[in-house]
Amino acid sequence: MKKNKPAKPAAPVQQDIAAQLGLQPGQSLELLKALHILTREGKLNQDSRRKLKQVYHLYQFIQPLLEELGQGDHAVTLADHGAGKSYLGFILYDLFFKNLGRGTIYGIETRAPLVESSQRLAADLGFERMVFLNMSVADSTRADFMPERFDIVTALHACDTATDDAIAFGLEKRARAMVLVPCCQAELAAAMRQNKALHLARTPLAELWRHPIHTREIGSHLTNVLRCLYLEACGYQVTVTELVGWEHSMKNELIIARYTGQKKRSAAQRLHELLAQFGLTEALAQRYPAIQAEDQ
């Protein structure tokens, strides 16, 4: 008598994609597919998982600011600089602005094809209060059709001096908060390479950037230190933390600045002293105009 073969175990039930991603109620899976974060079948590759994790973590920091600044039926204005494919802007709109019924997101990006793609997607989704501009941060600061004041300025992995441009925009527009994740800080490292031999003879501190890899690392770290001091000198309370775990991104420093109006003279003084100590005063003379003007 033949023995019946044991039945094959039932295929494991596929986990609900929303649960896997930790999506909030009402969040659009179609948006994530349109952004190519998910495939048409709703699958997620490892690179997209990292990208989505970064955006979600950043949203957790931005959401309390949106809720606070949007009180009293205020229509929050948010500028997203170096928007790229506007992952951050679209998810902010989907999670917060869409159901609120007020407030506008401005995505600012220099690459025309990305701006055009974002404009089409916003139209397809009915995200009416998303505006995409094909221009530099500096040009957007001077554009007369932009709001005179913005509530929040964001810059997620804006490369090199684009983060400084976003800060300059925030200062010009009297932003109530800035949320910045800097990337690829090369300007200061290049300046530090000049006259390196002179600095080595002048101070043992120059050993910190004698080797090229140290120049890059010290230059990156010092760039963000100077940015924080500048923001404090301009009346912002600054918090610096990690965005996500280092396994997800090496560009992981998150700077959150909230305007208090209390300008720290000691921060401006320290900034000047650091520039002098590292031989950067002349090279970065135009980088911090707000405190340069006050010193004159």
Side-chain angles (χ1 to χ4, degrees):
M1 184 176 175
K2 280 187 176 180
K3 292 184 179 179
N4 292 329
K5 291 183 179 179
K8 291 183 179 179
V13 178
Q14 185 178 5
Q15 288 186 333
D16 180 72
I17 188 68
Q20 289 184 47
L21 299 177
L23 302 187
Q24 296 192 13
Q27 187 173 359
S28 171
L29 284 175
E30 293 307 312
L31 169 62
L32 299 183
K33 291 177 183 179
L35 292 172
H36 304 293
I37 291 175
L38 294 178
T39 66
R40 290 181 181 179
E41 294 76 29
K43 295 181 179 179
L44 185 71
N45 64 38
Q46 194 58 34
D47 182 60
S48 294
R49 187 182 297 276
R50 283 194 296 269
K51 190 173 298 180
L52 197 58
K53 188 177 182 69
Q54 291 175 40
V55 173
Y56 280 165
H57 272 266
L58 193 54
Y59 175 72
Q60 290 175 3
F61 287 103
I62 298 174
Q63 181 184 13
L65 296 172
L66 291 170
E67 291 174 347
E68 177 186 336
L69 300 179
Q71 291 180 358
D73 293 331
H74 175 66
V76 174
T77 50
L78 184 147
D80 181 26
H81 287 296
K85 295 180 179 179
S86 294
Y87 293 122
L88 176 61
F90 276 111
I91 289 175
L92 284 172
Y93 195 97
D94 191 40
L95 292 178
F96 187 84
F97 287 80
K98 181 175 65 177
N99 293 327
L100 190 66
R102 63 180 185 275
T104 305
I105 294 177
Y106 291 78
I108 299 162
E109 171 58 50
T110 58
R111 290 166 288 183
L114 297 183
V115 173
E116 293 165 5
S117 175
S118 294
Q119 289 171 336
R120 287 194 298 270
L121 179 55
D124 291 343
L125 294 169
F127 288 6
E128 298 176 350
R129 288 170 285 109
M130 290 193 79
V131 179
F132 297 96
L133 303 171
N134 178 206
M135 58 176 55
S136 69
V137 181
D139 288 341
S140 71
T141 306
R142 296 187 292 268
D144 56 9
F145 57 84
M146 295 282 276
E148 292 185 3
R149 185 169 189 180
F150 274 82
D151 293 296
I152 300 177
V153 172
T154 63
L156 175 57
H157 291 160
C159 238
D160 197 15
T161 59
T163 299
D164 298 294
D165 293 338
I167 291 173
F169 177 94
L171 295 177
E172 178 68 24
K173 296 296 185 178
R174 296 173 293 152
R176 298 164 72 183
M178 301 190 216
V179 182
L180 312 165
V181 182
C183 182
C184 307
Q185 299 95 320
E187 180 192 43
L188 193 144
M192 291 170 68
R193 292 188 190 100
Q194 300 176 2
N195 303 317
K196 186 180 290 188
L198 176 62
H199 296 313
L200 281 166
R202 183 174 63 88
T203 172
L205 279 177
E207 292 292 338
L208 291 172
W209 69 95
R210 178 160 64 94
H211 299 287
I213 188 172
H214 293 157
T215 305
R216 185 179 71 239
E217 291 174 354
I218 290 293
S220 177
H221 182 64
L222 183 57
T223 297
N224 288 340
V225 169
L226 294 172
R227 286 167 174 162
C228 292
L229 287 172
Y230 186 46
L231 286 165
E232 289 178 337
C234 292
Y236 286 81
Q237 180 185 51
V238 176
T239 302
V240 184
T241 187
E242 290 181 0
L243 176 59
V244 289
W246 292 105
E247 71 273 15
H248 296 286
S249 175
M250 293 303 291
K251 301 300 182 181
N252 198 32
E253 188 168 337
L254 171 61
I255 300 171
I256 303 172
R258 301 183 56 155
Y259 187 71
T260 65
Q262 298 178 353
K263 299 181 179 182
K264 292 186 177 180
R265 294 187 62 86
S266 60
Q269 182 180 349
R270 287 291 177 89
L271 191 156
H272 286 307
E273 290 172 352
L274 280 174
L275 291 176
Q277 184 67 55
F278 284 84
L280 298 168
T281 301
E282 185 176 350
L284 299 184
Q286 303 304 315
R287 181 57 63 198
Y288 311 106
I291 60 174
Q292 300 285 0
E294 289 185 3
D295 291 343
Q296 293 175 356

